[in-house]
Amino acid sequence: MSLSFTKMHGLGNDFVVIDARQNDPALDTPTIRHLCDRRFGIGCDQLVLLTPPTLHGADVHVRFFNPDGSEAGACGNASRCVVKFVGGAPTLQTAAGLLPTARDGDLVTVDMGLPRLDWQDVPLSQACDTLHLPLPTPLDAAACSMGNPHATIFGDASRAEALGAGLEQDALFPERANIGFAQMLSPTHMRLRVWERGAGLTLACGSGACAAVVNAVRRGLTERTCTVTMDGGDLRITWRADGHVLMTGPAVTVFHGTTA
């Protein structure tokens, strides 16, 4: 089956975007894994599938798939790429809800919606304080959901490679989790590395940056607008007074192609 696709990235977090609004290829899990494979396929951190919207007010339905074939509820960097791909300022229909967007030159802003802070909404496997998770000492992590589960560990961001894989699959996270390692540089600046569930360590994670800022604000570590520096570059995250989280950053088209 021949597929047309577009390769895009947001701060080095790269995606294969397939526009299925006119013709849905009905991709199965083995095909998604093959397309995401960097040696035998196209290669990406996530595959993004665009289909016709089913909710009033949405311009496009967006689904996100990890390299292992599992589906993610949200992806901030991919959402910005979809905005650039579609054009204008579309409202995105995702598993996390409707996401309004805006454009300012080369920068794209996505309203990532309301963070979910209750342990059942993350979700966690047991009732606990989501500001201080019952993980092994000294891992004092906080958790929230941005449409997908996130835990943020504050301290040394360099621990992501050593600890990420094990924490992703900790029993506390029944659906696994994205694990952020954040270091506060100032009240308005954070260094962040994220181990993404189903993908591993990536150059940037938009929803992870949103979750890290939400968790930092909850702990009194940052102001409500914060620059988040990741390996691939910077995002500006604002947790507004109405509870919505805005994420602003670039989106880049790399090339268009067709599979054999």
Side-chain angles (χ1 to χ4, degrees):
M1 177 177 58
S2 179
L3 290 171
S4 296
F5 67 89
T6 299
K7 185 70 179 288
M8 306 185 76
H9 79 83
L11 302 180
N13 193 193
D14 63 336
F15 311 100
V16 169
V17 180
I18 295 177
D19 189 351
R21 287 175 292 176
Q22 301 299 322
N23 182 25
D24 190 348
L27 300 178
D28 58 18
T29 297
T31 300
I32 292 170
R33 289 175 176 169
H34 173 74
L35 292 172
C36 293
D37 192 287
R38 296 190 183 277
R39 292 179 176 83
F40 298 101
I42 303 166
C44 60
D45 290 321
Q46 284 186 323
L47 183 144
V48 182
L49 185 67
L50 309 183
T51 58
T54 60
L55 294 179
H56 177 72
D59 295 299
V60 59
H61 184 198
V62 190
R63 298 176 68 189
F64 312 100
F65 295 91
N66 297 315
D68 63 1
S70 61
E71 188 166 359
C75 179
N77 287 321
S79 295
R80 294 199 317 279
C81 288
V82 170
V83 173
K84 181 167 185 176
F85 182 94
V86 172
T91 296
L92 311 182
Q93 176 186 339
T94 73
L98 296 181
L99 307 183
T101 69
R103 297 281 295 274
D104 182 9
D106 292 333
L107 295 178
V108 177
T109 297
V110 177
D111 181 343
M112 297 290 287
L114 300 169
R116 284 167 264 180
L117 308 178
D118 188 80
W119 71 271
Q120 295 169 305
D121 295 327
V122 175
L124 303 176
S125 60
Q126 65 185 71
C128 64
D129 179 3
T130 59
L131 263 181
H132 300 282
L133 302 184
L135 292 173
T137 304
L139 300 177
D140 185 15
C144 70
S145 171
M146 290 303 309
N148 49 1
H150 286 274
T152 310
I153 297 169
F154 293 95
D156 184 357
S158 68
R159 296 183 292 175
E161 287 176 287
L163 301 178
L167 290 172
E168 173 196 350
Q169 304 199 44
D170 190 278
L172 185 62
F173 308 116
E175 297 179 6
R176 298 182 294 165
N178 303 281
I179 311 297
F181 296 81
Q183 178 181 353
M184 299 307 305
L185 304 177
S186 79
T188 58
H189 192 188
M190 173 192 301
R191 175 78 171 97
L192 178 70
R193 303 185 81 198
V194 179
W195 183 278
E196 293 194 41
R197 62 174 181 169
L201 190 65
T202 57
L203 292 177
C205 179
S207 61
C210 294
V213 171
V214 166
N215 287 329
V217 171
R218 295 169 69 205
R219 286 196 174 185
L221 300 176
T222 183
E223 297 179 9
R224 296 188 78 92
T225 294
C226 183
T227 297
V228 181
T229 297
M230 292 169 285
D231 290 348
D234 292 351
L235 291 176
R236 185 175 74 249
I237 308 298
T238 297
W239 190 12
R240 292 191 319 208
D242 67 359
H244 284 243
V245 181
L246 303 186
M247 172 202 59
T248 301
V252 176
T253 301
V254 183
F255 62 86
H256 306 282
T258 303
T259 62

